[in-house]
Amino acid sequence: MTLAEIRRFALALPEASEAPHFHYSSYRVRGKIFVTVPPEQTHLHVFVADEHREPALAMHPGFLEKLLWGGKVVGLRVALARAEPAVVRQLVQQAWARKAPKSLLSARTKGP
């Protein structure tokens, strides 16, 4: 999966934006980060909740690992070269939904 594909998908989510985060790129919803891209651009950091993280790790150990910050697990680290695009899109969607305000979530589920 390429960063261009991830960028298109992430920015298509309601009110998503891209902004720098120190030396990283980040995708945000109303200022809250749901994905970061480290400078080497070979991995993606996706900030999913525990209930999504653990099943994903069990099902896709070939390209997912725990993302640690200060000794605490905060999400998933995705190896882009080996990643399955459908799984990455689902994780990005889940991370967006975790950070999006409830009003934005309810508007998205109602649809056009």
Side-chain angles (χ1 to χ4, degrees), residues 21-32:
H21 180 68
F22 300 98
H23 297 293
Y24 290 57
S25 296
S26 72
Y27 297 99
R28 304 164 185 244
V29 57
R30 293 195 184 171
K32 294 184 179 183

Side-chain angles (χ1 to χ4, degrees), residues 10-62:
L11 292 176
L13 295 167
E15 296 190 33
S17 63
E18 184 176 13
H21 180 68
F22 300 98
H23 297 293
Y24 290 57
S25 296
S26 72
Y27 297 99
R28 304 164 185 244
V29 57
R30 293 195 184 171
K32 294 184 179 183
I33 295 173
F34 62 94
V35 170
T36 60
V37 182
E40 84 282 349
Q41 299 186 346
T42 58
H43 290 82
L44 189 70
H45 296 168
V46 184
F47 299 96
V48 294
D50 295 349
E51 65 264 17
H52 298 297
R53 183 183 65 237
E54 294 307 319
L57 283 166
M59 291 176 59
H60 306 287

